[in-house]
């Protein structure tokens, strides 16, 4: 299963947009159902999490970590080493397919979950987090 996003940006050229995560390739950083705040046109560097068009199926948006610049574009990997669907399969991603940098994630309330005060406080403390770059380790 791949990480994909459903954009909800009404206007072309908007500086920010929202995408929804589906899949497990970015676990533990991102979970299935997370909402992402995406900054379009942001400066990109190795370690950033980005939304990009899949190089082999460009109508599909995917969320991956930018590992390094190579000939032909960005080498991207998911944070879950057991999941497929990254540059190990499709190679480097051309820069024009990288749409934006993920700045924050929002975890919605789980439907049907008890909404006691303790649960709501716990959710409030963990629901919105910045998605920061991280130091990369060789894989």
């Amino acid at each position: 299963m791949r990480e994909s996003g459903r954009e909800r940006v009404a206007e072309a050229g908007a500086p920010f947009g929202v995408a929804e995560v589906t899949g497990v390739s970015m676990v533990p950083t991102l979970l299935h159902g997370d909402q992402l705040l995406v900054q379009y046109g942001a400066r990109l560097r190795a370690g950033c999490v980005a939304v990009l068009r899949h190089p082999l199926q460009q109508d599909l948006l995917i969320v991956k970590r930018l590992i390094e610049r190579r000939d032909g574009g960005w080498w991207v990997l998911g944070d879950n080493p057991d999941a497929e669907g990254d540059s190990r399969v499709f190679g480097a991603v051309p820069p024009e397919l990288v749409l934006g940098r993920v700045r924050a994630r929002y975890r919605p309330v789980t439907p049907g979950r008890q909404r006691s005060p303790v649960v709501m406080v716990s959710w409030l403390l963990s629901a919105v987090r910045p998605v920061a770059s991280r130091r990369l380790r060789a894989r």
Side-chain angles (χ1 to χ4, degrees):
M1 203 182 292
R2 284 188 281 259
E3 227 63 33
S4 67
R6 287 183 290 209
E7 288 182 290
R8 287 190 255 156
V9 179
E11 301 175 40
F16 289 94
V18 177
E20 181 180 347
V21 176
T22 59
V24 296
S25 74
M26 288 299 292
V27 168
T29 307
L30 303 173
L31 302 178
H32 178 81
D34 283 354
Q35 304 291 313
L36 306 177
L37 176 64
V38 181
Q39 182 182 10
Y40 297 105
R43 188 174 146 217
L44 302 171
R45 60 187 173 94
C48 293
V49 175
V51 172
L52 48 132
R53 293 195 184 282
H54 193 288
L56 304 177
Q57 187 181 347
Q58 293 185 14
D59 61 334
L60 176 66
L61 298 180
I62 59 176
V63 179
K64 300 292 176 203
R65 189 170 300 277
L66 305 176
I67 302 302
E68 67 182 10
R69 292 288 293 225
R70 293 189 176 182
D71 290 339
W74 283 100
W75 191 259
V76 300
L77 294 175
D79 285 355
N80 180 352
D82 297 326
E84 295 181 357
D86 53 29
S87 287
R88 295 172 293 179
V89 174
F90 50 71
V93 177
E96 62 270 14
L97 297 182
V98 180
L99 302 177
R101 182 175 176 176
V102 174
R103 292 296 188 173
R105 65 104 173 120
Y106 165 82
R107 293 197 173 136
V109 174
T110 306
R113 187 170 178 189
Q114 179 185 4
R115 294 199 169 94
S116 70
V118 173
V119 169
M120 292 306 291
V121 168
S122 173
W123 172 79
L124 284 170
L125 294 174
S126 68
V128 178
R129 297 277 177 157
V131 176
S133 300
R134 69 175 195 200
R135 292 185 184 262
L136 301 175
R137 291 179 285 202
R139 290 191 196 196

